[in-house]
Amino acid sequence: MVSTPPAVATATARHYLPEVAPTELAGRSPNQFLLPLTARVNDQDSLEIGGCDVPDLVKKFGSPLYIVDEHSLRTACQQYRDGFARHYPGESQVLYASKAWNCLAICAIVASEGLGVDVVSGGELLTALKAGVSSTKLYLHGNNKSLEELRLAADAGCTIVVDNWHELRLLTQWLGNEGAQYAPARVMLRLTPGIECHTHEYIRTGHLDSKFGFDPDQLPEVFAFVSQQSSLNCVGLHAHIGSQIFELQPHEDLGSVMVQWLELAATYGIEVKELNIGGGLGIRYTESDDPPSIEAWVKVVADAVAKACQQSQRSLPKLLCEPGRSLIGSTCVTAYTVGSQKEIPGIRTYLSVDGGMSDNPRPITYQSLYRALIANRMSAPLSETVTVAGKHCESGDILIKAASLPPAEAGDILVVNATGAYNYSMASNYNRVPRPAAVLVCDGEANLIVQRETYEDLLRQDCLPDRLVP
Ligand code: LLP
């Protein structure tokens, strides 16, 4: 899968641009481009995103800096939302899987586009509520929710996606006692469909050996139990088969499998009103990635469910999906400042930047591939192949093993593409490095959406027992 643009004197970073005319932006699926839809080269030969000069953004906000293109994010939301309205004859609701990047501004944007939000912890839940997401469009997931998290969800009135027997018992016991005021709680059941798909082993969740969801064999027992619980209002079924998926077939299969479950539930007197088909559509990180468009994915899912319902003469359930990566991933880049370089003759040149595995843990965790460019010299020939290293005390802290770049100098602005999903949300303070700031860019304006952490922030949670005070 590794493909680097040829290191020939004629190739430049312009090669990575979407090259979409402003009038054509609306029809483009952001997940199919290496850079956000508004990426351009300006008169200074710099990368511009959302009408903002990237090196200027770094001057103003520092680096590393996550730069989010509002236009690309809104476009992706609209394509999911309008795609379902076009292709699914029943009701639909798109949820943003906020584990990809949960913060106030991003939740507020997706909510303003009519999307709901899928959350997986009390922290994500509270952030979404604070961002103004309606609790009727909030769904709480998780394979080991605490009672506290269940209480928060019930109190807010959001839907709880019950994952396993432990949770089913915990929830019904609580609703039968201290939580009685919240009964009946609105729940869905998460099931494991046993559908394999080709993605990284760590992020497959639809196969049977998964920590998530009820096994299909347990369904009769689960449905029988749930149908007896007056404290539960079971509105639907949920499944998610994995992430960064380029094939459409697994989701088509999932649609029909879920309609079979719906029929089984009906035999236990459970009227399934909602089917949530999860997320999983992949994005383009490198030239060799060729994901389907959002529109194509939506059509396949919508057709599969509609067809299966028609065949079994069932009325159409409300159809939900919960993409994360394909909504936010391609909307963002991370800008770093180049620092030291180490040339090992005949082996490689390491070019180090001022961030790394703490702001983007995906290369070291999943061997994920990215592209880099020098944002202040977009037309310079990509004449060198270097290894882009992070600043962390770990040899594996490599962002890109073989990046095609022009000769770079300390102070250059290096941009890594497609960092919107699972970067900020998985960022850490490894080596006590403060987490970067994030800015939202739109029509030449840039607004902070996450402040850069300070050294005071890093020390805030530390406690020094009196007997250790020097
Ligand atoms: N729904 C559920 C229940 C999920 O577990 C996930 C992702 C999604 C929706 C959204 O999937 P997406 O549309 O983003 O593919 N950290 C990994 C990805 C983990 C995905 C976890 N679940 C990575 O960086 O690739």
Side-chain angles (χ1 to χ4, degrees), residues 79-378:
Q79 288 180 357
Y80 269 109
R81 184 195 66 201
D82 300 347
F84 275 106
R86 227 183 347 269
H87 296 298
Y88 190 63
E91 240 191 298
S92 57
Q93 177 64 58
V94 179
L95 312 176
Y96 166 54
S98 71
K99 56 186 76 75
W101 187 341
N102 181 292
C103 69
L104 289 175
I106 290 172
C107 288
I109 292 173
V110 301
S112 73
E113 292 295 341
L115 273 61
V117 174
D118 132 22
V119 294
V120 292
S121 68
E124 288 189 356
L125 173 61
L126 289 176
T127 308
L129 283 172
K130 195 150 187 218
V133 179
S134 158
S135 60
T136 57
K137 293 184 186 175
L138 264 177
Y139 289 72
L140 176 66
H141 286 281
N143 64 307
N144 194 20
K145 303 175 190 77
S146 66
L147 191 51
E148 176 62 18
E149 288 170 326
L150 293 171
R151 189 181 294 122
L152 277 173
D155 194 42
C158 54
T159 307
I160 298 167
V161 185
V162 178
D163 191 273
N164 52 58
W165 276 110
H166 166 78
E167 185 182 339
L168 206 44
R169 293 196 188 99
L170 187 71
L171 188 60
T172 46
Q173 269 165 23
W174 177 67
L175 291 168
N177 295 289
E178 313 95 81
Q181 57 177 308
Y182 300 115
R186 196 173 193 278
V187 302
M188 295 182 82
L189 300 171
R190 177 167 182 171
L191 311 170
T192 315
I195 290 172
E196 293 276 349
C197 47
H198 301 135
T199 183
H200 193 288
E201 192 183 357
Y202 298 173
I203 50 180
R204 284 188 304 185
T205 51
H207 55 107
L208 292 172
D209 181 9
S210 164
K211 71 171 180 169
F212 298 105
F214 291 98
D215 199 272
D217 293 349
Q218 299 177 326
L219 281 192
E221 217 184 326
V222 174
F223 287 151
F225 179 86
V226 168
S227 66
Q228 297 305 308
Q229 308 302 314
S230 57
S231 63
L232 300 180
N233 172 20
C234 180
V235 295
L237 305 176
H238 168 276
H240 169 75
I241 56 175
S243 202
Q244 185 60 358
I245 300 170
F246 289 178
E247 305 156 280
L248 290 171
Q249 191 64 45
H251 279 100
E252 188 173 343
D253 296 346
L254 179 62
S256 49
V257 167
M258 290 188 83
V259 173
Q260 289 166 23
W261 293 339
L262 179 152
E263 289 182 58
L264 182 64
T267 64
Y268 289 86
I270 300 174
E271 193 206 335
V272 172
K273 301 188 196 83
E274 298 186 6
L275 278 190
N276 184 338
I277 198 136
L281 173 61
I283 69 169
R284 188 165 214 217
Y285 288 102
T286 70
E287 298 82 343
S288 56
D289 289 336
D290 190 17
S293 66
I294 292 173
E295 168 95 14
W297 188 89
V298 167
K299 185 173 182 336
V300 159
V301 165
D303 286 353
V305 172
K307 191 170 145 208
C309 286
Q310 195 187 26
Q311 279 168 357
S312 58
Q313 297 181 329
R314 295 252 147 221
S315 53
L316 291 171
K318 180 170 175 177
L319 184 55
L320 285 77
C321 70
E322 50 192 22
R325 191 191 310 269
S326 52
L327 279 170
I328 191 73
S330 312
T331 72
C332 177
V333 301
T334 307
Y336 302 92
T337 302
V338 172
S340 63
Q341 292 193 44
K342 176 179 176 181
E343 190 185 340
I344 309 173
I347 299 187
R348 72 174 76 241
T349 296
Y350 286 98
L351 184 151
S352 295
V353 294
D354 55 352
M357 60 184 285
S358 61
D359 58 77
N360 184 356
R362 300 194 68 257
I364 198 167
T365 312
Y366 313 115
Q367 298 76 52
S368 308
L369 302 177
Y370 286 90
R371 290 290 174 246
L373 51 87
I374 298 295
N376 48 301
R377 247 175 303 119
M378 290 294 287

Side-chain angles (χ1 to χ4, degrees), residues 372-445:
L373 51 87
I374 298 295
N376 48 301
R377 247 175 303 119
M378 290 294 287
S379 306
L382 308 181
S383 54
E384 309 212 329
T385 301
V386 299
T387 294
V388 179
K391 65 174 281 162
H392 298 277
C393 289
E394 178 137 345
S395 300
D397 178 24
I398 300 296
L399 287 172
I400 303 173
K401 274 202 183 115
S404 296
L405 293 174
E409 295 157 19
D412 277 342
I413 304 304
L414 183 140
V415 157
V416 172
N417 73 320
T419 54
Y422 307 108
N423 273 228
Y424 173 77
S425 63
M426 290 171 61
S428 76
N429 292 124
Y430 184 45
N431 295 157
R432 283 241 141 165
V433 171
R435 273 173 288 206
V439 287
L440 182 71
V441 291
C442 187
D443 296 336
E445 228 187 272

